[in-house]
């Protein structure tokens, strides 16, 4: 199948307008219409209802959207795999939430580069549901999550336990138990529960942020207090730009790798994961 037809279909499904889709793709309206007609002939299905003033997707068109995205993703992975240099014999597609990239994966990827020959890396940012789906569909090889799913076909391996310290830009706040401009970062339900127990009702967060890096940048600019990963704040506390709050409990956020329990790349995947340092077990702090 011509992937350009699918890309054109997805653009029209977003805009619901042949002319605007053509402008976005650098094509004439007639060319867009021709591509859609060709795709409909190949599929023996009508993808758009043209009988109304506003273009609408047919039920068949709605069903094609997910398939089209899957086909294009797989085609992209195939091109990456086939197009690797002659010095690379295999590829690892690695996916994770943005926050996990920020706190745990950069140094690990450098270790792969130094220790495993002939491997190319392809990385993507995911939400947890998309990542699990792409692992099962073999569009991603390794995924990293805070709270891994329990699925028979997927193998789970804890690779890191990141300490989260309560830090503040106000030195006075380190001992006063008053946390100005408190920012709550979403680390998953287990950490959120511990966070609520410690802070209680008297310390309601003023801001809620999904990414620790965004929270860090915010409090450095505006001032404030937040639970943040130790690897992200260590240098800043040494430089006295941030201060650790005394007597605040230290939480530990586990990070797990998920991958197919059976597959052609299993040996390579486990070799790569062996490059993480041994994960320590930490006691509960509450």
């Amino acid at each position: 199948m011509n992937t350009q037809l699918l890309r054109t279909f997805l653009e029209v499904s977003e805009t619901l307008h042949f002319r605007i889709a053509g402008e976005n793709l650098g094509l004439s309206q007639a060319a867009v219409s021709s591509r859609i007609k060709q795709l409909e002939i190949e599929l023996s299905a009508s993808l758009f209802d043209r009988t109304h003033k506003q273009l609408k997707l047919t039920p068949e068109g709605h069903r094609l959207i997910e398939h089209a995205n899957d086909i294009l993703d797989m085609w992209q992975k195939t091109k990456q795999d086939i197009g690797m240099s002659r010095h690379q014999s295999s590829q690892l597609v690695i996916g994770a939430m943005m926050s996990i990239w920020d706190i745990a994966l950069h140094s690990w990827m450098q270790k792969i580069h130094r220790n495993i020959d002939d491997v190319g890396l392809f990385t993507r940012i995911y939400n947890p549901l998309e990542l699990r789906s792409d692992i099962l569909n073999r569009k991603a090889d390794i995924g990293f999550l805070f709270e891994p799913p329990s699925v028979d076909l997927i193998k789970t391996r804890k690779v890191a336990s990141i300490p989260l310290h309560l830090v503040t830009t106000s030195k006075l706040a380190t001992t006063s138990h008053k946390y100005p401009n408190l920012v709550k970062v979403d680390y998953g339900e287990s950490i959120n529960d511990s966070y609520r127990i410690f802070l209680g009702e008297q310390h309601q967060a003023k801001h809620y942020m999904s990414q620790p890096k965004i929270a860090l940048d915010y409090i450095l600019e505006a001032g404030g207090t937040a639970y943040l990963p130790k690897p992200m704040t260590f240098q800043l506390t040494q430089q006295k730009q941030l201060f650790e709050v005394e007597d605040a409990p230290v939480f530990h956020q586990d990070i797990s790798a998920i991958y197919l329990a059976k597959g052609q790349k299993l040996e390579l995947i486990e070799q790569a994961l062996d490059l993480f340092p041994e994960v320590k077990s930490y006691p509960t702090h509450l």
Side-chain angles (χ1 to χ4, degrees):
M1 179 179 289
N2 186 340
T3 58
Q4 293 302 320
L5 301 184
L6 293 178
R7 295 184 193 281
T8 303
F9 163 74
L10 289 173
E11 188 64 37
V12 176
S13 72
E14 285 285 333
T15 62
L16 293 177
H17 201 292
F18 286 158
R19 179 182 59 79
I20 296 174
E23 290 175 355
N24 293 341
L25 293 169
L27 299 170
S28 67
Q29 181 173 337
V32 171
S33 181
S34 176
R35 286 186 178 186
I36 296 300
K37 191 64 178 176
Q38 183 179 344
L39 184 59
E40 289 177 323
I41 291 171
E42 287 192 20
L43 295 173
S44 300
S46 177
L47 301 174
F48 293 96
D49 183 350
R50 301 167 174 81
T51 61
H52 298 83
K53 185 175 181 181
Q54 174 71 40
L55 197 67
K56 293 183 178 181
L57 281 161
T58 64
E60 293 81 3
H62 280 291
R63 288 197 295 272
L64 179 59
I65 289 176
E66 183 177 351
H67 292 295
N69 281 309
D70 286 345
I71 291 169
L72 291 175
D73 285 345
M74 185 59 74
W75 180 242
Q76 178 65 26
K77 182 182 177 183
T78 300
K79 289 197 299 182
Q80 290 282 339
D81 206 11
I82 298 300
M84 288 188 304
S85 73
R86 67 182 63 183
H87 303 295
Q88 297 170 335
S89 59
S90 57
Q91 179 193 61
L92 284 177
V93 179
I94 302 166
M97 301 159 56
M98 174 60 81
S99 53
I100 294 179
W101 283 113
D102 287 338
I103 63 180
L105 300 186
H106 292 147
S107 60
W108 171 69
M109 290 179 61
Q110 293 170 9
K111 287 183 179 180
I112 292 177
H113 172 70
R114 292 193 299 267
N115 293 278
I116 303 179
D117 295 329
D118 304 333
V119 62
L121 302 178
F122 181 66
T123 65
R124 287 187 59 183
I125 297 170
Y126 283 91
N127 69 47
L129 289 178
E130 291 174 337
L131 182 53
R132 181 179 68 176
S133 174
D134 275 12
I135 292 291
L136 288 170
N137 293 325
R138 301 180 184 274
K139 291 192 288 185
D141 299 311
I142 310 175
F144 293 92
L145 296 168
F146 289 139
E147 297 173 340
S150 178
V151 179
D152 289 341
L153 297 176
I154 290 179
K155 189 171 183 179
T156 299
R157 175 171 170 178
K158 186 166 78 171
V159 296
S161 187
I162 305 298
L164 306 173
H165 291 251
L166 188 62
V167 295
T168 180
T169 54
S170 169
K171 191 171 183 179
L172 293 176
T174 60
T175 57
S176 67
H177 302 291
K178 296 179 180 179
Y179 311 131
N181 204 18
L182 185 62
V183 178
K184 181 179 181 296
V185 183
D186 184 8
Y187 294 108
E189 282 308 308
S190 60
I191 296 296
N192 290 345
D193 289 343
S194 298
Y195 182 99
R196 283 190 291 268
I197 293 170
F198 164 59
L199 292 173
E201 294 297 326
Q202 70 273 25
H203 295 302
Q204 292 294 325
K206 184 176 181 179
H207 307 289
Y208 294 81
M209 300 183 183
S210 62
Q211 308 296 337
K213 183 64 168 63
I214 296 173
L216 173 61
D217 290 344
Y218 175 82
I219 67 171
L220 287 174
E221 180 68 26
T225 307
Y227 261 104
L228 293 172
K230 183 74 169 183
M232 191 176 285
T233 61
F234 177 78
Q235 187 172 356
L236 293 167
T237 56
Q238 295 295 305
Q239 297 169 350
K240 307 300 183 184
Q241 294 184 58
L242 289 176
F243 305 92
E244 289 189 9
V245 175
E246 296 179 12
D247 299 326
V250 177
F251 303 131
H252 288 88
Q253 176 60 70
D254 291 344
I255 296 175
S256 295
I258 62 172
Y259 52 98
L260 287 179
K262 297 180 180 180
Q264 293 181 340
K265 296 183 182 179
L266 184 59
E267 183 177 349
L268 175 61
I269 289 169
E270 295 193 331
Q271 182 184 2
L273 294 178
D274 285 342
L275 296 175
F276 278 100
E278 182 179 354
V279 181
K280 299 178 181 178
S281 296
Y282 294 93
T284 301
H285 290 268
L286 293 176

